Amino acid sequence: MTEMVEQKRGISKGCLIALVIIAAIIVLIIAMSIICYVKRDSMLQWGVIKMTETIKREALVNLPDSLTESDIDSAATDFIQALKNKSVDQKQMRQIILVYQDLMKDGKIDKDECKRYIEELRRATHTDAVAPK
């Protein structure tokens, strides 16, 4: 008698494992997208705070004669507090981010850029005193 070989039905074990892994990756990507969308404001705030602290340290290296270390420190601290209190509007936030990009293009902050940085921080926090020119 001739034995009949049974044919397997369905997909192979390796293919099934690959499909499960791909499905898990897709679920993770979707979950991360949702989390990033929901937390986008706090992520932006965190990034701006870190950038403010970085630029503050760089500005202290090339401090203009008309400004003191406490001027820069108080402007940065006031701005960070205003961010946390959500009193900085979107237009001001965009302007600050543009200033940050301009300041960090060459990797160092000169005296004029330092003054501009302080002015923008004070403008964003509605501080009446503007950095001396």
Side-chain angles (χ1 to χ4, degrees), residues 40-84:
R40 70 186 180 279
D41 291 336
S42 61
M43 289 170 48
L44 176 65
Q45 179 181 341
W46 177 84
V48 170
I49 288 172
K50 292 299 176 190
M51 198 63 172
T52 300
E53 292 168 352
T54 300
I55 291 177
K56 180 178 97 173
R57 283 191 304 272
E58 290 293 321
L60 290 173
V61 173
N62 249 344
L63 195 62
D65 297 332
S66 58
L67 294 173
T68 65
E69 188 175 324
S70 68
D71 291 333
I72 293 175
D73 190 45
S74 67
T77 303
D78 292 345
F79 178 70
I80 290 171
Q81 190 59 45
L83 274 177
K84 290 179 180 177

Side-chain angles (χ1 to χ4, degrees), residues 10 35 45 56 62 75-76 82 97 99-100 108 115 119 122:
I35 290 170
Q45 179 181 341
K56 180 178 97 173
N62 249 344
I97 291 171
V99 168
Y100 286 170
K108 63 178 183 167
K115 287 180 187 177
E119 288 172 359
R122 288 181 175 166

